[in-house]
Amino acid sequence: MTKQPFSWRLACVLVLILAAFGGLSAKLFWLHLNPNDALRLKIQKTLKFEHKISVGRGSIMDRNGAVMAADIAVRDVKVDPGKLNAGGHVQYVAEQLARMLDLDLALLLNRLQGRTGNYAPIKRFVPADKADEIRALNLPCVHFDEGSLRNYPGGAMMAHVVGFSNLNGEGSGGVEQRYNSWLRGVEGYRISEKDAHKREIFSRRSLDIPPQEGSDLYLTLDSRVQYYVEKALHEAMEEHHAAGAWAIVQRVRTGEILAMASLPDFDLNHFGKVDPEVHRNRAISFNYEPGSTFKVAVIAAALNEGIITQDEVFDCENGTWHYGGRPLRDYHPYGLLSVQDIIKKSSNIGAAKIALKLGEGKLEKYLRDFGVGRFTGIDLPGEEGGLLYSRARWSKISVTRIAMGHEVAVTAMQMLSLISAIANDGFLMRPYVVGTARDCNGRIIYRAEPEVVARPISQETAAQMRRLMARVTEQGGTGSRAALAEYTVAGKTGSAQKPVPGGYSDSAHMASFVGFIPAENPEISIIVVVDEPQPLHTGGVVAAPVFKKIAEPVMRYLASRPAEWHVVGGASVMEASP
Amino acid sequence: MRNTASLVTGAVLILLTLGIIMLYSASAMAGQEQYQDPQYFFRRQLVWLILSLCAGALLSQINYRIWRRLAVPLALVTMALLALTLIPGIGTTVKGSSRWLRLGPLSLQPSEFAKISMILLMAWWMSRIQRRAREFVRGMLIPSVFLGAMLLLVFLEPDFGTTMLIALVGASMMFVVGVRLSYLLIAGSLGLTAFFFAVMHNAERWRRIIAFLNPEKYEASEAWQLLNARYAFVMGGATGAGLGQSVQKRFYLPEAHTDFIFAIIGEELGLAVSLMVLVLFIMIFIGGLRISVCAPESFGKLTAFGITMMITAQALLNIGVVTGSLPTKGLPLPFISFGGSSLLVSLSMTGILLNIARHSIAPGQEDEKLFRNRKDWA
């Protein structure tokens, strides 16, 4: 058919169309093979999807699994004010929100009316069920962000041990702070590509670090024991008009803490509403001069060295003894006292003479072995280490002053550890408050093991000291008010004037009692410190009755515990779940 | 002529196959998003494809000469349907355009049928008057009137793309028959001026033109689609991202399974396949022209030419828009884009074209000399 030429018009059409096809082919080559790296980079940037996967914070339980801290689901309520104003529903929506969220309607209207933009926060941390109620109202332009809020069901219970986490979910005190990294878990991280609706395209995921949920912690503390402690302290605060009071209960064989309280306390759910000073756990962070309770350490050292015997008699100078040009006085004057009675009657002069006989070098060595002036290593933040100057800085009379618990400072935790070492055949244990940590699958990732820090005295000396300390609570001893009907209590009272600039205060005292039960085969040790009791101020009168008030119900409670109680946070998962 | 028919048939079948696969790929996201069913568009298109293939096969068996008698009634029915879409309550309005008529479960797009009606009407008229095509009244005025009437109805929907397409094909048919070039140029200038004013009058259209000229400046608004289509080709590169791997179809590129499906083909299958699509349309074009030239009489010649031009021009305009060579206007890619009416009309036209091919005669045997050099047939 090509023999005859075509009309020129048809040829025109043919050429035009083919030219158009040719042009488009060229354009396709250019588009597909465009070596424009900047454009490719720009497209990839648009597509890039980065996502942090947040995780729930672990819970904190007491040793029996009672929840002390846990996350609860909350919603942040927000609105889109631009759309709301455009739709003309401001009045209605504001009224409903004000009613549901307890907000001031006028303020809310003022904030929303006529505003542009697409984001206005209304209220943070609204409980999830409340948010669901609001959602059910189907209010236009109201949105909810999911979040979580730390909740402390116990309120002020164990406040200083549990601690709190701030609004950003970072632990800021107590176990919440110390174990923040376990509780917080690990945020997941993902790099991928997203579609135009900003959702991830799963097949384009190039990096995926899975999140790790926070672990749960089981404290060694027992809510019931803690309750007895806090109750007794509150009563003492009121009775003696004290500025503060703190107490610790420890298991002597392991060093684990069964209760630790420091008054004044605060509700963990409203930690921001109190003076930050109240956040301080004074049971571990308040250095004070221990007074007579410290004599126990000096006498234990001397007995251990064998330079005295318990029946050796010292002249207590009828109450006043001049040594190194300075007078040393006893609260009650005594003549001759045996070592046993020096403890029982708490003679300053007797203790000073024993310390002198022991010598500066031995005294310092023993005190350091007992952990004085050193952190106990308890797993809580903010611990203080007490204060014991090195021998080079001692004056001539320092030995006599340290012997009666002056010129030396300890924390209640240190003092209790020292006493527990005597109760525990001379082994000084590291105190701890977290017994077990479980990951989000319930697997145990940590179990605290009792840890011996030092052994300052022998088993025989420890046994001898226990007998001597048991006499303190007998009739005529300074600590008779700590005696229990069913158990022998071994202990020591302490009373000290508080140091003020230039000397000691006449009116401010620290009254304390530290001891263990039962004296023959000790289970637990307890320290009670009352800060500035008025008007009574001696350890025997103020602190010993608190000790009794704690020890009595605690011993009864512990006697009724089954064997499982000793394993913090339950045994392994297999055993725990039937 | 059997070879030519096979060539056209083969090209169309390859395009249909590629089309239905790519439609599934490009529409799965949108279907999931809008109807919670990734196969929503695919299944609808499959039903239309089967229907349209039946229609095409049937029409290829019906002697094309009956269309000469049916041309006028068909044109009247089409114009009536076009008018119906403009009546509120009857026409379905989507995105500001009243292009659809609902018939039970089906929605029909009369502007698609206007394409085929215009071709038949023009072929009917021009074959009657072909020897007097140079006269003003018969060759220019009368066809301009009915073409203009049809264009106006389509334009009012409004469907600018189809208006331009029909005008272009109608004019090309008049051109090849031999209407004076001067008449056509004058009419074309007038039409373009009117069209230009209409565009200026419509703010949205105008912005699209401006955005086409400076796409980077309007990236987030008018030029979004244009630029994302360009990104699709760039991302596809020489070899393509792989079938189903398009990112642009994930809501970056609007109309990914309808007017802009060619960009997804480019992105997923690369340069080779997007060029192949062009080549297939060139094959249809060349084959269609051969069928047209070898048709036994002028109605068949003109009908075949009109159909060929309609399919080719629509493909060129669509690809021109998608590659950013032309300002954006809504035209589906024949045989590939989602859309039942479009598919039905494209395959019906192919059926008629193939029937004309069956009646072709050896070169030099024609009773009429249309398309031959004037010296031979004048």
Side-chain angles (χ1 to χ4, degrees), chain A residues 408-472:
Chain A
V408 62
V410 295
T411 63
M413 191 65 248
Q414 281 178 324
M415 193 65 225
L416 183 65
S417 292
L418 189 160
I419 295 299
S420 294
I422 292 169
N424 189 32
D425 292 339
F427 292 102
L428 183 72
M429 309 299 290
R430 184 183 73 83
Y432 57 94
V433 296
V434 169
T436 304
R438 290 182 188 270
D439 68 12
C440 57
N441 301 318
R443 268 186 321 221
I444 290 174
I445 55 170
Y446 169 78
R447 200 187 269 290
E449 293 294 336
E451 188 185 327
V452 178
V453 177
R455 187 172 194 191
I457 55 173
S458 69
Q459 191 176 347
E460 293 72 33
T461 312
Q464 196 177 8
M465 280 306 295
R466 293 202 288 269
R467 283 194 297 277
L468 296 184
M469 287 171 70
R471 301 190 64 219
V472 174

Side-chain angles (χ1 to χ4, degrees), chain A residues 237-249:
Chain A
M237 287 275 284
E238 196 163 321
E239 189 181 339
H240 301 289
H241 316 287
W246 47 97
I248 307 169
V249 180

Side-chain angles (χ1 to χ4, degrees), chain A residues 99-112:
Chain A
R99 181 174 63 84
M100 297 297 286
L101 296 173
D102 249 344
L103 299 169
D104 187 276
L105 179 59
L107 282 177
L108 191 60
L109 274 173
N110 189 32
R111 278 184 56 204
L112 295 179

Side-chain angles (χ1 to χ4, degrees), chain B residues 51-68:
Chain B
L51 270 174
S52 306
L53 278 171
C54 294
L58 189 69
L59 287 174
S60 72
Q61 303 303 315
I62 294 175
N63 191 326
Y64 75 91
R65 287 183 176 87
I66 69 158
W67 301 113
R68 190 202 285 265

Side-chain angles (χ1 to χ4, degrees), chain A residues 17-151:
Chain A
I17 295 287
L18 287 181
F21 272 115
L24 286 183
S25 307
K27 180 90 187 211
L28 277 179
F29 268 103
W30 183 78
L31 281 173
H32 275 294
L33 306 178
N34 189 348
N36 187 342
D37 288 334
L39 181 60
R40 272 170 214 279
L41 222 61
K42 186 183 145 196
I43 299 171
Q44 273 158 10
K45 215 173 125 189
T46 313
L47 291 175
K48 191 169 181 189
F49 176 89
E50 260 181 300
H51 184 50
K52 289 181 179 140
I53 308 145
S54 55
V55 292
R57 194 172 170 83
S59 303
I60 300 176
M61 264 79 69
D62 85 341
R63 72 183 296 135
N64 302 312
V67 176
M68 306 310 297
D71 274 0
I72 53 170
V74 291
R75 306 278 184 270
D76 295 345
V77 182
K78 55 183 193 176
V79 301
D80 182 338
K83 261 194 202 145
L84 196 58
N85 280 298
H89 303 297
V90 186
Q91 183 73 30
Y92 172 69
V93 169
E95 272 170 19
Q96 294 294 320
L97 286 179
R99 181 174 63 84
M100 297 297 286
L101 296 173
D102 249 344
L103 299 169
D104 187 276
L105 179 59
L107 282 177
L108 191 60
L109 274 173
N110 189 32
R111 278 184 56 204
L112 295 179
Q113 232 144 22
R115 251 194 69 178
T116 51
N118 57 14
Y119 176 75
I122 299 297
K123 192 170 183 181
R124 288 190 79 186
F125 307 128
V126 176
D129 49 348
K130 189 74 164 178
D132 288 342
E133 278 177 44
I134 298 173
R135 209 190 292 267
L137 295 175
N138 275 323
L139 299 176
C141 310
V142 175
H143 306 283
F144 302 88
D145 275 347
E146 294 196 6
S148 62
L149 181 66
R150 203 63 168 162
N151 181 252

Side-chain angles (χ1 to χ4, degrees), chain A residues 225-294:
Chain A
V225 178
Q226 181 78 17
Y227 166 76
Y228 295 136
V229 170
E230 292 184 5
K231 183 163 174 274
L233 286 179
H234 275 291
E235 286 167 8
M237 287 275 284
E238 196 163 321
E239 189 181 339
H240 301 289
H241 316 287
W246 47 97
I248 307 169
V249 180
Q250 186 176 28
R251 282 184 80 196
V252 298
R253 301 288 169 212
T254 58
E256 67 198 270
I257 305 298
L258 292 181
M260 179 183 279
S262 171
L263 296 186
D265 60 5
F266 60 103
D267 186 340
L268 289 171
N269 297 304
H270 307 289
F271 63 85
K273 291 186 179 159
V274 297
D275 184 340
E277 178 61 23
V278 177
H279 294 162
R280 189 169 151 206
N281 181 2
R282 292 199 267 181
I284 59 167
S285 69
F286 191 92
N287 289 326
Y288 69 103
E289 294 196 344
S292 308
T293 50
F294 208 64

